[in-house]
Amino acid sequence: MYKKNNKWNKHNKRIVIVTIVLVLFSVFTLVTSRSASGIETMFKDTIANIEYYVIKAPIEYVSHLFDEYSDLKDVYNENAKLKEQLDNLARESAMNETLSNEIEELKKLTGIDFLPTEYQVKYTNVIARDAESWNNQVTINLGNLSGIKEGMAVISSDGMIGTVTNVSEISSTVSLLSSETSKSQLPVMIISGDEEYYGLLNRYDLSSKSYRITLLSDVEKLEKGAKVVTSGLGGVGKSPKGILVGTVENYTVGDDATESVCMVKPSVNFDSLNYVAVVQRVNEK
């Protein structure tokens, strides 16, 4: 057994020596820029194949496995988030149904026909938007024949975008809240913690891309990120209560200390308005 091992070791040594000689000879050929012989070319190809299959290929394979693992981990995390959202949606749907039933019972007991937050929507889409008045107005394909009236609120899936200011038989013009030239003042309500404050949205600042809201309530502090919704105090034909407008970014007191102002980030992306809806209070025909 010892003799066999000894012979095997001598054989391996000879292979190593031959390999080293060939490698050195190949390096010498490259350095001296000799034209390689057939044997040298074959040897270099062999070395290149060994380098690829022994070193590069395994590294690429392992790297690919790590990439696949990372992708699978991302998919797993996304699925976990989606499952959590679906669970929350199921709970919220059940809660909404319960609250809706309770509200209907209370309305019957108190004799109230409608609430300020109740409204109907008529879905439509934007059919015209000029570059010159991009931030000011859009045209929708609903008009008098569809029961649209001036002053009605118009919303997207993200919140309020503006109000109807001109109505024809089959179309209407919507003045956007992003218009700097708008003279309308939208009554809003700010929900900060357990407190509710009232104010008027009176203009849009293009430089900061935020609404300027003059507060009517006495306010000591507003939480950043507090939700701003319509207050429903605009009168008949105006916006109902509870439509999302945006979130508070900052709050300041005017120079004369008599006017409190907060800047609000819109909930809507005004550069992407395609499908919208006109809002109608349930008590208005």
Side-chain angles (χ1 to χ4, degrees), residues 107-130:
K107 284 165 64 177
K108 290 178 182 178
L109 287 173
T110 57
I112 296 175
D113 295 326
F114 63 90
L115 296 174
T117 53
E118 292 183 292
Y119 57 85
Q120 299 170 338
V121 294
K122 293 183 178 181
Y123 296 99
T124 181
N125 59 288
V126 175
I127 58 174
R129 190 177 188 182
D130 295 333

Side-chain angles (χ1 to χ4, degrees), residues 35-54:
S35 55
S37 65
I39 296 177
E40 292 168 357
T41 302
M42 182 179 67
F43 178 74
K44 285 189 286 188
D45 291 342
T46 302
I47 294 297
N49 287 329
I50 292 174
E51 181 185 5
Y52 176 76
Y53 287 107
V54 176

Side-chain angles (χ1 to χ4, degrees), residues 109-258:
L109 287 173
T110 57
I112 296 175
D113 295 326
F114 63 90
L115 296 174
T117 53
E118 292 183 292
Y119 57 85
Q120 299 170 338
V121 294
K122 293 183 178 181
Y123 296 99
T124 181
N125 59 288
V126 175
I127 58 174
R129 190 177 188 182
D130 295 333
E132 295 180 356
S133 57
W134 183 263
N135 293 311
N136 298 330
Q137 63 184 38
V138 296
T139 303
I140 58 175
N141 63 346
L142 289 181
N144 276 325
L145 295 178
S146 302
I148 306 302
K149 298 177 182 178
E150 291 184 9
M152 286 184 172
V154 182
I155 63 174
S156 72
S157 59
D158 295 320
M160 186 164 177
I161 68 167
T163 56
V164 176
T165 52
N166 188 33
V167 183
S168 65
E169 290 301 304
I170 60 173
S171 65
S172 301
T173 300
V174 179
S175 290
L176 300 176
L177 294 180
S178 60
S179 172
E180 280 193 312
T181 60
S182 176
K183 296 181 180 179
S184 62
Q185 293 189 324
L186 178 69
V188 297
M189 179 175 66
I190 302 170
I191 305 170
S192 181
D194 297 329
E195 301 294 331
E196 295 179 353
Y197 304 105
Y198 293 87
L200 293 173
L201 191 162
N202 43 38
R203 74 178 179 87
Y204 179 80
D205 183 61
L206 274 177
S207 60
S208 63
K209 293 186 177 181
S210 57
Y211 302 127
R212 182 182 185 276
I213 292 178
T214 301
L215 294 166
L216 304 176
S217 306
D218 292 332
V219 180
E220 292 184 2
K221 182 181 179 181
L222 282 180
E223 294 179 355
K224 185 175 181 179
K227 288 186 177 180
V228 180
V229 299
T230 54
S231 66
L233 301 177
V236 177
K238 304 298 182 182
S239 305
K241 184 178 181 180
I243 298 176
L244 183 63
V245 174
T247 53
V248 172
E249 286 193 312
N250 59 65
Y251 164 68
T252 58
V253 178
D255 296 334
D256 56 1
T258 60

